[in-house]
Amino acid sequence: MEEGKAYIESGILELYVLGQLTAQEQAEVEAMAVQYPEVKQEIDAIERAMEQYAVAQAVQPAEGLDQKILTRITWGKQNTPGTPEIPAKETGKAQEARIVPLNKPIDYETRIRTLRIALVACVALLVVSAVALFSAHTELGSAKVQIAELSQDKEKFTTTVNFMKQTNAELQKIADMTTDPNWKFVKLAGTPMDPEASMMVYWHTTGKHVMMDNSKMKLPATDKAHQYQLWALVNGKPVDLGVFDVKAGSSQILISMKDIASAQTFAVTLEKRGGSPSPTMTQMIVAGNVAI
């Protein structure tokens, strides 16, 4: 709605009705008229207003002008060479010639002067109109830029709000875990492969849910050929819980993995992309036991 209103106020619809736009601009106006009903209504209103103005400004011909034109035409025919003379009456006397006074000679210099003044006035009006149209067109361009900037700002604001909502929801979920004894907090420490590495795994013993805390994950970023794979050690056997990537600047806090009903240890290995059916023990980067 706001974009349609700004488009109407820009002045381009008047240019469209007057036929002063390029083909591309005309197509743009017609597309806006389809998209926004208020734009189509404004175009119709402008066309009606211009038609009413033309009717109101129409000049009525002077009274008796039609009779004068007919008289000129008749007089011209009577004086055309080759026209037969009107016969005299039967009395034998020649019809007396009548002197028909001619109209006053036309003052062509005065008319030319008047036309020149009118022409100058038209040119001046055209220049003023061109300046006004150019100004309106420039303002329309500025309005389009401002609308685009406002749209970008709105998208950024929406993204920020959604991020804050998601972050608050995940933080609240972590806070609720501390009051539920079925949640186990398993800290995975670094191995000789990377002693500085660490991460946190949340496991719900009855619901079987497994999640990783991305905000507490200290692992080297993965490349295009490798991924990390989470494992659960169940009665001495490793069970795959899924693969994941570590990317710089990730905003997600909780990462859901595959469910597991029982586990004594959690560990992470570096595997080829897509994961491995069994862990590569030499590539184990972190591991941690579940507290009883």
Side-chain angles (χ1 to χ4, degrees), residues 88-94:
K89 293 182 179 180
E90 296 179 356
T91 55
K93 295 184 179 179

Side-chain angles (χ1 to χ4, degrees), residues 11-265:
I12 195 173
L13 300 185
E14 287 78 0
L15 299 180
Y16 172 79
V17 174
L18 291 171
Q20 298 298 317
L21 299 180
T22 63
Q24 181 178 355
E25 291 172 333
Q26 289 179 1
E28 179 183 341
V29 171
E30 292 167 359
M32 290 291 289
V34 173
Q35 184 177 359
Y36 297 98
E38 61 269 26
V39 174
K40 180 63 171 62
Q41 294 174 1
E42 184 66 16
I43 292 175
D44 295 340
I46 293 171
E47 290 177 343
R48 289 195 299 270
M50 289 189 175
E51 181 179 355
Q52 293 171 0
Y53 178 81
V55 173
Q57 298 300 319
V59 178
Q60 296 294 333
E63 185 176 356
L65 179 61
D66 53 347
Q67 189 60 40
K68 291 181 180 181
I69 294 174
L70 291 174
T71 301
R72 294 277 186 89
I73 295 174
T74 303
W75 183 84
K77 287 183 176 180
Q78 290 175 352
N79 290 273
T80 301
T83 303
E85 294 182 359
I86 299 175
K89 293 182 179 180
E90 296 179 356
T91 55
K93 295 184 179 179
Q95 186 177 5
E96 295 182 358
R98 292 182 300 166
I99 301 176
V100 180
L102 298 177
N103 292 336
K104 185 179 179 180
I106 300 174
D107 190 349
Y108 289 103
E109 292 186 359
T110 302
R111 288 199 174 185
I112 292 174
R113 221 171 17 246
T114 303
L115 290 175
R116 285 179 178 174
I117 294 174
L119 180 60
V120 171
C122 291
V123 171
L125 180 60
L126 180 60
V127 171
V128 173
S129 300
V131 172
L133 293 177
F134 178 77
S135 177
H137 198 270
T138 303
E139 291 178 0
L140 175 61
S142 300
K144 287 182 178 180
V145 173
Q146 292 177 0
I147 291 172
E149 291 177 351
L150 289 175
S151 179
Q152 292 177 355
D153 292 341
K154 182 180 178 181
E155 291 179 0
K156 291 179 181 178
F157 178 75
T158 302
T159 302
T160 302
V161 170
N162 292 337
F163 167 72
M164 294 179 66
K165 287 182 178 179
Q166 179 183 351
T167 301
N168 289 337
E170 291 179 336
L171 291 175
Q172 184 61 46
K173 190 171 185 177
I174 294 174
D176 294 341
M177 290 178 183
T178 59
T179 61
D180 187 349
N182 292 316
W183 279 105
K184 298 294 183 180
F185 291 65
V186 185
K187 183 176 181 180
L188 280 59
T191 65
M193 178 181 175
D194 189 348
E196 300 297 325
S198 65
M199 60 180 290
M200 182 70 74
V201 172
Y202 305 132
W203 173 44
H204 198 276
T205 56
T206 57
K208 305 177 184 180
H209 311 310
V210 177
M211 289 186 291
M212 300 183 302
D213 192 332
N214 191 41
S215 66
K216 298 181 179 179
M217 187 178 298
K218 296 181 180 179
L219 298 176
T222 52
D223 55 27
K224 295 182 179 180
H226 298 85
Q227 282 183 300
Y228 289 114
Q229 190 166 359
L230 179 64
W231 304 90
L233 193 62
V234 182
N235 298 324
K237 294 182 179 180
V239 178
D240 169 41
L241 296 183
V243 296
F244 62 95
D245 292 299
V246 174
K247 298 179 181 179
S250 177
S251 59
Q252 187 177 4
I253 297 178
L254 293 176
I255 302 175
S256 298
M257 306 300 288
K258 296 179 181 179
D259 295 346
I260 190 72
S262 175
Q264 291 80 46
T265 302

